[in-house]
Every structure is written in C-alpha cells, then in structure tokens.
C-alpha cells in the first residue's frame, strides 16, 4: 500500500516483482494513474483515488511554493493530505480483506496499520526514507538541518505527530467500518505503534544512510528496491540518436516536483548547460520543463539539447556525464546506481536530506537548491561535476558496492518469519 508521486511508487514495482518471482502473490494498492507502471511489473493492482499530479498543480498544491521553511511545508502538506486521504480507506480495506500480510509505505502506515489490526493481519513497514526519530540527524522530510542530538530527536517526534494528524479522520472512519473500539484512533498513533515494536524495512542502502545506533530493534536498512524494467526495454530511438551524436550529455529533471514559473526555470537550466559547454537532456516531468527555452527566447541549436518525457532512469543515467535532479529518494537512488556524478537541486521535503548525503558521499560537488538557482551557480557545479575526475571515480566505486547489495532479501526474510509464526 503506497501513495504519493511516481517516486513513491516506482521502487515498489521492483520489490513487488521480486516477491512475485519468489512465489508470493502480490498486489500493489496505489493511485489509479500508476496502473501501467505497476502492471508492467507483472503483479496485481488495486486503484486508489486521487491524482497526485492534479493535486500538486491545484491552487493548494501551488501554494507549497509560497512556503519557504521545511516545517511550514510539512504543515501545508498535512492540510492537503487530510483533505484527500479519507477516500482511500474503502479501497484499502477491500484489498486487505483479500490479503494475508500488509506491506505499508510511510505515506499510508497509520491507516494501513489500523486496517491490519481490524482484520487481524500482520503489517510490515516498507519505507523509502528514514523517518524514525534519531539523535544522528534531523527528520529527513525537513531537509539537511541538524538541531543537535536532543533537538533532532524532538523534531523527529514532532514530525511523526504531524503525520498522525493527516490520518486521524481516516483512521476513525476505518475503525468504524471494521467495528474497532473508539480508542483505535489513539492506538494508531506513532507512539502507540512504536510500543508494539512493529518491524520497518527501509529500501535504501546503509552505505548511503548508515543505520542510526539509537534506533530500536526491528528497524532494518537492507539496500535499495530498484524500479522494475521489463526485459528487453531500451531507450527511444531519438534518445539513442542524440547520445550517439556527441559526447555524453548531462541530465536535467525535477521529477514529480512542480515549479511556480516553468519557463523561467527551463531557461535558467538551458543557459547553465550552455555556459558550461555541455550537451543536455531535459526531462519535462511534472514541472513541464522545456529544453527549447533559452535566454531571451533564443532556442539555440537543435543539436545540443533534447527534451524527453518519461524515460527509465536505469536505462538513461549510465549514459550521462552527470545528473541534475530534485533529489527525490528514487531519483537519488537511480543516479547512485548509474555511477555518475550528481548536481543536487532540491526543491522541498526530503530533497535537502538526500542532497546533503550526495555531497557527503563525494559524488556531488555542491548543492544548488531550486530557490537559489542561478546560471552561474549551476554552470560552476556542472563544470566541477563533469571536469573533475574525483566525482566520477567516487560515483563509480559507490555504484559497484550498491549493485552488490540485495535489498529484497530482508523483506523475504520478514515474510518467511510471518509464515513460520502463522
């Protein structure tokens, strides 16, 4: 069970495919707009309401850009999510009635746990970000800032309390439908779930985020879950032709992030690539970026930039000289797996956290937040990423180690443990 943007769904297609290959019957419950993505992995699909892209492009979604602080964005997101999450309760209960174990993303964990409790089903967390409080770092959804050991721990609890507010009405409705007692809303809260020591598996590498020493038992970091790509998948012909026409280009994309002024953002990206003397592939994404935009309306030559729609990162990124991206968890993982340098351009939420990890790992020269984007800053970061060999060397070394990990193995082990207990 997962909800959110493409990056909140794609990694689970690889996990689901691997679990199915191991003999499990798997259904992914998520937004209806992602049906093709899920069904291409050869697993079952249950549609949930809400179009996340439409929500981000709505008035309340665009208002996120008016909030500069991490805590302010979280509070705004809580209000947005509370308005839409209730419609997911019915479909999730219907799917749970046909299931034996529930694997829950962080975006649906409180509601999924309530449903599991009501139906007597075991639940496992399957998270893409580190969300449990720790003294080691601040909450990942608030960016890279640290408030010190005590402050980090307190901030982590406050963020999880805010997430509880998103689901309070939906949990209450689900409890009524399942005949659970009124106190269920209280027992579904983060602190109550933690007292039960529910297992949570994390789909990222301990090489990227080492497991905090103060985490409780049952919180596992085992390796990435890579999005599924069908056998024989290849890049579109126009992309292959572009790659063959010159030196490796750089990738520029913001994934599912939206921007207040797509034309201005596109023009800044294009001008920075040209100032660095590089070629580029621009992915439109949900921001609607356009590689034909240039300074003062100048579209430049048609041979140095290519604009694409959805292209699997696993196929595209290994051909890049560097990747400029918004640092969503999935895109960050894809860049690391490809073994190419990065230029982090975080937009909001956990983007700042992953951006800081990329520079700390030595695969990125500098962070260029979208709010501070200028032609000179991005051009300088691109030049360093592409021209200084140390970033490519470190990226290649890390990629080799990541590819040796098996992030699915801990999930299979957890499922086997439930089978033995049952």
């Amino acid at each position: 069970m997962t909800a959110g943007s493409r990056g909140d769904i794609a990694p689970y297609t690889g996990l689901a495919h691997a679990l199915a290959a191991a003999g499990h019957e798997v259904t992914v419950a998520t937004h209806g707009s992602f049906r093709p993505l899920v069904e291409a992995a050869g697993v079952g699909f249950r549609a949930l309401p809400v179009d996340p892209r439409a929500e981000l492009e709505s008035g309340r979604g665009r208002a996120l850009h008016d909030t500069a602080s991490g805590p302010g964005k979280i509070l705004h997101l809580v209000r947005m999510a509370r308005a839409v999450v209730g419609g997911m309760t019915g479909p999730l209960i219907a799917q749970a009635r046909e299931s034996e174990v529930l694997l829950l993303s962080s975006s649906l964990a409180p509601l999924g746990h309530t449903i599991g409790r009501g139906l007597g089903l075991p639940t496992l967390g399957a998270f893409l970000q580190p969300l449990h409080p720790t003294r080691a770092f601040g909450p990942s959804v608030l960016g890279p800032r640290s408030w010190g050991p005590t402050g980090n721990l307190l901030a982590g609890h406050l963020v999880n309390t805010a997430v509880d507010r998103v689901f309070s009405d939906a949990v209450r409705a689900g409890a009524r439908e399942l005949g659970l007692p009124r106190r269920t809303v209280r027992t579904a809260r983060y602190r109550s779930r933690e007292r039960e020591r529910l297992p949570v598996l994390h789909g990222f590498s301990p090489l990227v985020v080492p497991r905090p020493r103060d985490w409780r038992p049952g919180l596992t970091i085992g390796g990435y879950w890579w999005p599924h790509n069908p056998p024989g998948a290849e890049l579109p012909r126009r992309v292959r032709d572009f790659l063959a026409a010159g030196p490796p280009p750089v990738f520029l994309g913001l994934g599912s992030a939206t921007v207040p002024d797509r034309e201005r953002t596109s023009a800044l990206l294009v001008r920075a690539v040209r100032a660095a003397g590089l070629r580029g592939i621009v992915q439109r994404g949900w921001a609607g970026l356009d590689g034909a935009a240039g300074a003062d309306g100048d579209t430049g030559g048609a041979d140095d930039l290519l604009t694409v729609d959805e292209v699997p990162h696993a196929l595209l990124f290994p051909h890049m000289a560097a990747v400029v991206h918004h640092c969503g968890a999935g895109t960050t993982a894809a860049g690391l797996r490809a073994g190419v340098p990065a230029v982090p351009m975080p937009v909001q939420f956990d983007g700042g956290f992953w951006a800081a990890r990329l520079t700390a790992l030595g695969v990125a020269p500098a962070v260029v937040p979208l709010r501070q984007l200028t032609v000179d800053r991005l051009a300088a970061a691109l030049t360093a990423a592409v021209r200084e060999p140390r970033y490519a060397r470190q990226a290649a070394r890390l990629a080799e180690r990541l590819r040796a990990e098996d992030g699915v193995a801990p999930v299979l082990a957890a499922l086997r443990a439930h089978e033995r207990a049952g």
Side-chain angles (χ1 to χ4, degrees):
M1 297 177 173
T2 183
S5 64
R6 184 184 179 92
D8 299 302
I9 285 84
Y12 296 110
T13 65
L15 176 61
H17 181 82
L19 295 180
H24 294 278
E25 182 180 344
V26 186
T27 298
V28 177
T30 193
H31 308 291
S33 55
F34 295 114
R35 178 186 292 272
L37 186 68
V38 172
E39 291 186 339
V43 298
F45 177 78
R46 169 78 67 166
L48 301 183
V50 182
D51 182 338
R53 182 171 185 175
E55 284 298 315
L56 286 174
E57 292 176 346
S58 68
R60 58 188 173 194
R62 290 194 298 271
L64 278 171
H65 298 296
D66 300 328
T67 308
S69 70
K73 285 182 179 290
I74 287 292
L75 292 175
H76 189 86
L77 184 65
V78 165
R79 289 193 292 268
M80 284 180 61
R82 287 196 72 180
V84 300
V85 75
M88 300 183 192
T89 306
L92 289 176
I93 290 176
Q95 179 56 51
R97 291 188 189 277
E98 303 172 8
S99 305
E100 295 173 283
V101 179
L102 306 183
L103 285 166
L104 310 172
S105 73
S106 60
S107 56
L108 290 178
L111 181 54
H113 175 61
T114 300
I115 294 170
R117 172 176 293 208
L119 296 175
L121 298 174
T123 60
L124 297 172
F127 292 4
L128 300 178
Q129 299 91 0
L131 296 177
H132 282 75
T134 175
R135 294 175 177 83
F137 46 77
S140 59
V141 293
L142 296 184
R145 182 176 176 182
S146 175
W147 289 270
T150 302
N152 289 340
L153 198 62
L154 176 61
H157 286 294
L158 290 175
V159 165
N160 280 284
T161 299
V163 172
D164 285 341
R165 288 182 54 82
V166 172
F167 293 95
S168 57
D169 292 341
V171 165
R172 191 175 292 111
R176 283 197 303 268
E177 183 170 342
L178 295 168
L180 296 176
R182 295 179 64 181
R183 68 176 182 275
T184 297
V185 175
R186 184 173 65 254
T187 58
R189 291 172 182 163
Y190 170 76
R191 289 182 182 273
S192 295
R193 299 198 310 275
E194 281 300 284
R195 281 195 289 270
E196 295 182 38
R197 302 247 162 170
L198 296 173
V200 178
L201 305 140
H202 294 84
F204 52 83
S205 171
L207 297 172
V208 178
V209 182
R211 186 185 187 279
R213 282 186 277 184
D214 59 351
W215 269 9
R216 63 164 173 85
L219 304 178
T220 303
I221 300 177
Y224 281 108
W225 305 321
W226 305 112
H228 176 69
N229 284 312
E234 61 180 10
L235 293 170
R237 171 58 67 88
R238 61 191 294 263
V239 176
R240 285 182 279 143
D241 290 345
F242 181 79
L243 292 173
V250 296
F251 170 88
L252 305 103
L254 297 178
S256 56
T258 57
V259 296
D261 188 339
R262 63 188 64 189
E263 292 184 4
R264 177 179 180 275
T265 302
S266 299
L268 286 173
L269 295 177
V270 169
R271 290 167 58 195
V273 171
R274 289 178 174 152
L278 300 168
R279 303 196 311 146
I281 292 181
V282 178
Q283 188 172 56
R284 286 191 181 89
W286 290 9
L289 302 177
D290 185 359
D296 302 320
D298 174 23
T299 60
D303 60 346
D304 65 336
L305 286 153
L306 178 70
T307 302
V308 299
D309 291 306
E310 288 295 341
V311 176
H313 291 163
L315 300 181
L316 182 62
F317 282 5
H319 300 283
M320 299 297 102
V323 290
V324 180
H325 60 82
H326 67 304
C327 296
T331 309
T332 300
L336 291 171
R337 186 188 194 187
V340 295
V343 176
M345 190 182 293
V347 180
Q348 57 195 8
F349 304 127
D350 60 329
F353 174 83
W354 296 114
R357 294 307 306 145
L358 291 174
T359 55
L361 290 166
V363 301
V367 178
V368 184
L370 183 67
R371 283 182 173 271
Q372 301 170 25
L373 173 63
T374 66
V375 172
D376 290 344
R377 287 192 68 178
L378 181 54
L382 278 170
T383 299
V386 175
R387 312 293 185 201
E388 296 182 25
R390 56 185 168 134
Y391 299 110
R393 285 197 299 265
Q394 178 60 12
R397 283 195 293 263
L398 181 57
E400 184 176 3
R401 298 178 66 191
L402 290 176
R403 287 193 286 264
E405 294 179 339
D406 183 0
V408 176
V411 185
L412 286 171
L415 292 176
R416 283 195 294 270
H418 276 292
E419 289 173 349
R420 289 193 297 269

